[in-house]
Amino acid sequence: MLSALCIRRPVMTILVMASFVIAGIFGYKQLPVAAVPRVDFPTIQVTAQLPGASPETMAASVASILERQFSTIAGVTTMTSTSSLGNTSIVLQFDLNRNIDGAALDVQSAISSAMRRLPAELPTPPSFRKVNPADYPIMFLALKSSQVRLSDVDAFANRAILPRISTLPGIAQVLIFGTQKYAVRVRANLDQLAVRGLTLQELQTAIVNANSSKPVGAIADQRQSSILDATGPINKAADYMPVIVTWQNGAPVRISDVATAIDSVENDKVASWLDGTRAILLAVYRQPDANTVEVVDRVKAMLPAIQAELPSGVDISVLNDRSVSIRDAIEDVEFTLMPGRRAGRHRHLLLPAQLPRDADSGHRAADLGHRHLRRHVCLRPFDRQHLAAGADAGRGLRGRRRHRHAGEHRPPHRGAARSRWRPPSRARRRSASPSSR
């Protein structure tokens, strides 16, 4: 029924098929490019930092308190905590049917309830992100320089690069591997402290008070009012040396007398290299529902503007791109879907390596050349030398055939003896009668 209708109405058939083709092309262009399968469990990562604390201290005073509070949240299937030097990370995984936004609210409430039992020395409250730390970063960016200190490169990355990339759609978080955040390290001389009867706690108190930025107050009289301001944070190691720790016998005891201050980084136990050179690595993570290829394209589009703002001598480059394998897989599928290109991939299997070119087998060379040229001329062009040899052999064969038809008598079969044809003699032509002619 359908076949008869299509035969009777060819114009309608052409229009319907053309609409199918156009709709297919439009739908193919709208298909998203992403890795499959995509199974995203609701996962939240909670981090807390206490600079200088040992892993045992972080596990006992921070991680255990948060774990007890998180265990009261409904729908938690897995809880994993990791404590390191000055850092604690807790990963909470929920049921598939649990809404991640509702789980985030429960996590925030648990953190607020646990704040009263956490150490008061925490510089910032624990924070959380809707990201699975088990996911592999979709992109690695490398910052390196042979002229600028790594602490300055790290400061620029935290101040200018991380906020800009984190605001892009589909970005979950950006982490720094091999961070080199600037810090001043004070190395105490225990012998000098013991001689003066001082403790490490007193030395720490003097350092904290020197970096205080709290309001001091004001002094007012009948004529004017003066506002007192603290010195604020000290940014150089040399400025710590004259800080007074205490007074003994009417003389000040300074940090330079009992310790040594040096310019360093917060954690000197981590580092990263790129081609043998110290570097800063930025790991870009995507959100669970984001498209990898689109997110990578957005980050790459921002790199020229970031490069223009970098300090002189600092270079940024893409170290690893996870979207490359996805693009290659899609390209291979597109290549396979095209039959003409698929045939062109195997065209070298359809032709001989070399054609015979000797004089005795010229007709065989011509026949073979014409046969392959007729069958596979659309798949592979002949080598010029082979094509010329086949053409010469073909011309020689055609010349021999014309000569044979003009002046030779072809034998009845291949095994019969060949005899040269000779024209009749003049006597025989004269004796021939008109009737016989």
Side-chain angles (χ1 to χ4, degrees), residues 14 54 57 67 92 94 136 196 214 250 289 326 347 400:
I14 294 175
S54 63
T57 303
E67 288 174 1
L92 304 175
F94 298 86
Y136 192 78
R196 290 173 172 80
K214 296 179 181 180
D289 57 345
I326 301 176
R347 59 191 178 187
R400 292 174 58 184

Side-chain angles (χ1 to χ4, degrees), residues 19 36 65 80 87 165 210 352:
S19 63
V36 292
I65 297 175
T80 305
N87 185 45
I165 297 180

Side-chain angles (χ1 to χ4, degrees), residues 284-366:
V284 182
Y285 291 83
R286 69 173 182 87
Q287 294 179 359
D289 57 345
N291 188 283
T292 301
V293 177
E294 293 179 358
V295 173
V296 170
D297 291 339
R298 296 191 188 104
V299 176
K300 288 185 176 180
M302 188 179 288
L303 290 182
I306 295 177
Q307 179 66 49
E309 298 177 3
L310 287 175
S312 179
V314 180
D315 296 328
I316 184 171
S317 60
V318 178
L319 182 60
N320 187 17
D321 185 0
R322 192 178 174 186
S323 67
V324 174
S325 59
I326 301 176
R327 299 177 195 271
D328 293 342
I330 296 301
E331 183 179 358
D332 187 72
V333 171
E334 293 176 348
F335 188 92
T336 307
L337 291 177
M338 300 182 65
R341 298 180 65 179
R342 185 170 64 251
R345 176 185 289 184
H346 304 286
R347 59 191 178 187
H348 61 280
L349 301 177
L350 303 177
L351 297 177
Q354 187 176 3
L355 296 176
R357 288 175 287 176
D358 54 311
D360 296 337
S361 57
H363 62 284
R364 287 180 295 172

Side-chain angles (χ1 to χ4, degrees), residues 20-88:
F20 287 163
V21 172
I22 294 174
I25 295 175
F26 180 78
Y28 178 79
K29 295 295 184 180
Q30 299 299 322
L31 287 176
V33 179
V36 292
R38 298 177 60 184
V39 180
D40 300 321
F41 287 89
T43 306
I44 294 178
Q45 182 184 17
V46 181
T47 57
Q49 296 180 353
L50 182 59
S54 63
E56 293 78 9
T57 303
M58 295 298 299
S61 61
V62 179
S64 61
I65 297 175
L66 292 175
E67 288 174 1
R68 283 194 224 101
Q69 198 67 35
F70 292 152
S71 61
T72 61
I73 300 177
V76 177
T77 58
T78 304
M79 183 187 306
T80 305
S81 64
T82 304
S83 298
S84 59
L85 181 62
N87 185 45
T88 291

